[in-house]
Amino acid sequence: AQSVTQLDSQVPVFEEAPVELRCNYSSSVSVYLFWYVQYPNQGLQLLLKYLSGSTLVKGINGFEAEFNKSQTSFHLRKPSVHISDTAEYFCAVSDLKAAGNKLTFGGGTRVLVKP
Amino acid sequence: DVKVTQSSRYLVKRTGEKVFLECVQDMDHENMFWYRQDPGLGLRLIYFSYDVKMKEKGDIPEGYSVSREKKERFSLILESASTNQTSMYLCASPSNGGETQYFGPGTRLLVL
């Protein structure tokens, strides 16, 4: 079964500093990869996704992620964060060989941006 | 716009009650999912359905059942609610190729 590990449960970061959120998954065979953001008291919002092609994926709000098949990683980065980026971020993997296109989520990383 | 709707945003129930959470999608998707979200645990899959009347257990099915009598509707049932089922419940419906996942707004359930 697929598993997803987000290595940091919390990441404090100063405004305008870069941030990297790490995500590793267990199987690289035929997967789709996603990053979602959840702002306080709101639903999940898709930041970006990797389906195929270029391993560097750009998303909304200045975020990008790089798919590394050999390391089974999909780390999320932003070069300069804003206070409004304070949220919880979830990495998710869809194993295309599993029934139903189900997503397996990591435990989430809380990002707290400090002024 | 694809919409995934959930019947309630907030619910308060008592221990032992039978609880129904309903999810409806309007895009003729084959697959539908129920997740629960808890702090530090992310989203965990309870059950999913890949067709009418078809269902499969997810990672944490104990204490839950599901029903899919029509393609657009997927219900999660707590036969006898317990306090450890207090959580946020999210319904999802991916596009048929799995490229896009659509989530409902969530139901926050409190079991007293």
Side-chain angles (χ1 to χ4, degrees), chain A residues 1 32 34 36 38 41-44 46 49 51 88 90 94 96 99-108 110, chain B residues 9 31 33 35 37 39-43 45 48 50 56-57 59 90 94-101 103 105:
Chain A
Y32 290 160
F34 303 82
Y36 289 90
Q38 188 174 40
N41 299 314
Q42 293 190 27
L44 286 173
L46 179 67
K49 61 184 174 183
L51 304 181
E88 189 159 21
F90 294 96
S94 178
L96 302 182
N101 297 315
K102 62 178 179 176
L103 281 181
T104 302
F105 284 83
R110 286 190 183 276
Chain B
R9 292 299 302 273
N31 302 315
F33 299 85
Y35 295 90
Q37 181 181 4
L41 298 176
L43 281 74
L45 182 64
F48 69 100
Y50 50 90
E56 279 202 27
K57 294 180 180 179
D59 301 318
L90 285 162
S95 55
N96 289 339
E99 303 91 350
T100 306
Q101 301 272 347
F103 287 90

Side-chain angles (χ1 to χ4, degrees), chain B residues 11-41:
Chain B
L11 273 180
V12 180
K13 296 292 180 181
R14 296 205 174 274
T15 301
E17 279 193 77
K18 191 168 186 176
V19 182
F20 292 88
L21 305 181
E22 291 205 323
C23 174
V24 177
Q25 51 94 3
D26 64 358
M27 282 300 290
D28 202 36
H29 289 168
E30 295 168 355
N31 302 315
M32 297 183 75
F33 299 85
W34 275 107
Y35 295 90
R36 63 177 282 177
Q37 181 181 4
D38 300 288
L41 298 176

Side-chain angles (χ1 to χ4, degrees), chain A residues 3 8 27 37 39 65 67 70 74 77 91-92 113 115:
Chain A
S3 65
D8 305 296
S27 170
V37 60
Y39 299 104
F67 169 50
S70 62
F74 191 52
R77 301 183 185 93
C91 180
V113 181

Side-chain angles (χ1 to χ4, degrees), chain A residues 28-85:
Chain A
S28 64
V29 178
S30 300
V31 293
Y32 290 160
L33 300 160
F34 303 82
W35 274 99
Y36 289 90
V37 60
Q38 188 174 40
Y39 299 104
N41 299 314
Q42 293 190 27
L44 286 173
Q45 181 179 354
L46 179 67
L47 268 180
L48 50 79
K49 61 184 174 183
Y50 171 81
L51 304 181
S52 65
S54 172
T55 57
L56 183 63
V57 180
K58 294 191 183 297
I60 62 170
N61 301 340
F63 284 93
E64 64 180 31
E66 186 152 19
F67 169 50
N68 188 319
K69 187 173 183 177
S70 62
Q71 296 186 6
T72 60
S73 68
F74 191 52
H75 301 333
L76 180 71
R77 301 183 185 93
K78 185 169 181 176
S80 176
V81 295
H82 302 288
I83 296 288
S84 59
D85 292 322

Side-chain angles (χ1 to χ4, degrees), chain B residues 68-86:
Chain B
R68 192 159 180 209
E69 297 296 319
K70 293 184 178 181
K71 194 172 187 179
E72 66 270 19
R73 189 180 298 270
F74 190 36
S75 301
L76 180 69
I77 304 155
L78 287 65
E79 296 288 343
S80 178
S82 63
T83 55
N84 63 12
Q85 292 178 310
T86 291

